[in-house]
Amino acid sequence: MTIEYLTLQPSGDKMPLIGFGCAKIDIDATPQVIYNAIKVGYRLFDGGANYYNEKQVGEGIRMAIKDGLVTRKEVFVISKLWCTFHGNVREGLQKSLDDLGLDYVDMYLIHFPTALEHVPIETKYPPGWTQPGKTQVTRARVPMHETWAQMEAMVEEGLARNIGVSNFNAQMLMDMLAYCKIPPSLLQVELHPYLQQDTYVKWVQKQGIAVTAYSSFGPASFAAGGQKHAKSVESLFDNPVIKDIAAKYKRAPAQVALRWSLERNVGVVPKSTSVERMKTNLDALNWKMDDEDIQAINQLDMGLRFNDPLIKGWDLPIFL
């Protein structure tokens, strides 16, 4: 199997087009799941401090390295700066590195474009959205240009090979591009046939910034987690257009959703604890979709967002 890559700017590093998402995996199962994913062929692992399992992700990677499945240079590790560390980037990254058991990450992303009041590691870690004992978020007076300058310092010090952003809108990116010394290498946002953001994706790629989708299966994981908004929408896997295209190519509906993103030169980071589904998802690299089918999926766009702080109940209207 040939692994396809996105070439990152300005480093020139090659990032696998399809990776493995580390969110929402049972902590006890995580090391073996990561090990299995490496054995199957995944080389990119999309993690983050607020996924609550970076220690276990690192354990799985180190197990695979010890067994000779991969070398450190062959694994592309993503971590994310949580909102409570916008004024303390080094502290946040160093904690992630310590938990992962690594000297550097290949990509460090700002998880959300909002600074929340700092929570000391010894008080609570990962800190989540709220201060201990609070029921609502507390924003911090940390402007993004200060946070990004600290992110740039992490590259200069060799703790992160590349830096980027997640859940940023166009206005925030345009502002950042006006002052940054090191431009973001990657934008990671929610993208799926129900939320396509086509104009934004094309504009970002035109700036030389790679794009990776999360939640490529739309409402699936959110519905499984009990989100009413997601449960009220037809599953992508049951959508007649997706099902007909899957039948045409003798593929699983999940593969169709992933292939649609890959056809846009957008990376994906699906997650599964099943080895067989891991293989199925990774196989999305190995076939092509006719343009008429891509256009049919393009008609499914409804602007439906499922990962929104407002839906979670937090007073953070970042997508408005």
Side-chain angles (χ1 to χ4, degrees):
M1 181 191 68
T2 301
I3 297 178
E4 298 180 27
Y5 297 88
L6 291 169
T7 301
L8 301 173
Q9 302 300 330
S11 70
D13 287 357
K14 294 187 180 300
M15 184 182 75
L17 193 58
I18 184 166
F20 189 86
C22 300
K24 302 177 183 177
I25 305 175
D26 179 78
I27 289 178
D28 293 336
T30 298
Q32 190 62 49
V33 169
I34 299 302
Y35 183 91
N36 291 344
I38 290 175
K39 198 169 184 178
V40 165
Y42 288 88
R43 294 296 180 264
L44 182 151
F45 292 88
D46 178 60
N50 209 52
Y51 295 164
Y52 290 77
N53 62 1
E54 283 199 304
K55 283 185 178 180
Q56 293 75 21
V57 169
E59 183 180 343
I61 292 172
R62 292 194 303 276
M63 285 166 51
I65 293 173
K66 181 180 178 181
D67 286 356
L69 299 183
V70 288
T71 64
R72 170 63 186 94
K73 288 185 178 180
E74 292 173 326
V75 181
F76 194 103
V77 179
I78 298 176
S79 184
K80 300 182 184 74
L81 178 78
W82 187 241
C83 306
T84 54
F85 290 98
H86 277 215
N88 309 77
V89 173
R90 171 181 281 281
E91 181 185 17
L93 177 52
Q94 190 60 60
K95 175 59 175 169
S96 286
L97 290 173
D98 291 345
D99 284 351
L100 289 164
L102 301 176
D103 296 326
Y104 67 93
V105 291
D106 299 274
M107 177 70 71
Y108 199 46
L109 301 178
I110 297 176
H111 205 150
F112 281 93
T114 182
L116 300 180
E117 187 176 333
H118 181 58
V119 178
I121 290 172
E122 59 272 17
T123 299
K124 183 185 179 186
Y125 189 87
W129 287 92
T130 62
Q131 292 283 311
K134 300 291 185 179
T135 59
Q136 192 48 259
V137 295
T138 306
R139 289 185 292 109
R141 290 175 61 85
V142 182
M144 188 55 64
H145 71 86
E146 291 185 5
T147 300
W148 192 252
Q150 293 181 57
M151 295 284 286
E152 291 172 330
M154 298 302 96
V155 176
E156 292 163 357
E157 295 176 32
L159 299 180
R161 286 195 54 83
N162 302 276
I163 50 177
V165 297
S166 178
N167 298 303
F168 275 49
N169 62 23
Q171 292 80 8
M172 182 68 78
L173 261 185
M174 282 189 278
D175 186 54
M176 179 175 285
L177 291 173
Y179 60 72
C180 63
K181 292 190 297 181
I182 302 175
S185 298
L186 177 68
L187 169 71
Q188 186 177 106
V189 285
E190 179 181 346
L191 289 174
H192 45 76
Y194 291 163
L195 180 68
Q196 300 185 13
Q197 304 191 74
D198 188 57
T199 299
Y200 185 35
V201 168
K202 289 177 179 176
W203 181 84
V204 171
Q205 292 172 331
K206 188 177 179 180
Q207 311 314 305
I209 301 170
V211 179
T212 296
Y214 70 77
S215 298
S216 294
F217 302 145
S221 66
F222 298 98
Q227 189 193 100
K228 292 181 180 179
H229 179 52
K231 292 173 73 173
S232 67
V233 180
E234 181 179 46
S235 167
L236 270 178
F237 303 153
D238 293 329
N239 185 284
V241 173
I242 301 293
K243 288 177 69 175
D244 287 349
I245 294 172
K248 173 181 175 179
Y249 295 100
K250 296 181 172 58
R251 298 281 177 174
Q255 287 181 302
V256 172
L258 295 174
R259 186 67 225 176
W260 172 79
S261 281
L262 299 181
E263 295 283 356
R264 306 168 79 193
N265 205 32
V266 169
V268 292
V269 286
K271 177 213 73 179
S272 177
T273 58
S274 161
V275 170
E276 288 307 311
R277 284 197 294 274
M278 288 180 190
K279 293 176 181 177
T280 298
N281 290 340
L282 197 57
D283 194 44
L285 283 169
N286 298 325
W287 60 288
K288 298 285 291 180
M289 194 185 300
D290 292 339
D291 186 65
E292 63 183 19
D293 299 316
I294 296 171
Q295 295 304 319
I297 295 174
N298 289 348
Q299 303 308 308
L300 299 179
D301 191 12
M302 295 185 282
L304 286 177
R305 188 184 303 277
F306 302 105
N307 187 30
D308 187 334
L310 289 179
I311 295 175
K312 298 173 185 289
W314 311 129
D315 186 22
L316 295 170
I318 63 174
F319 296 117
L320 297 183

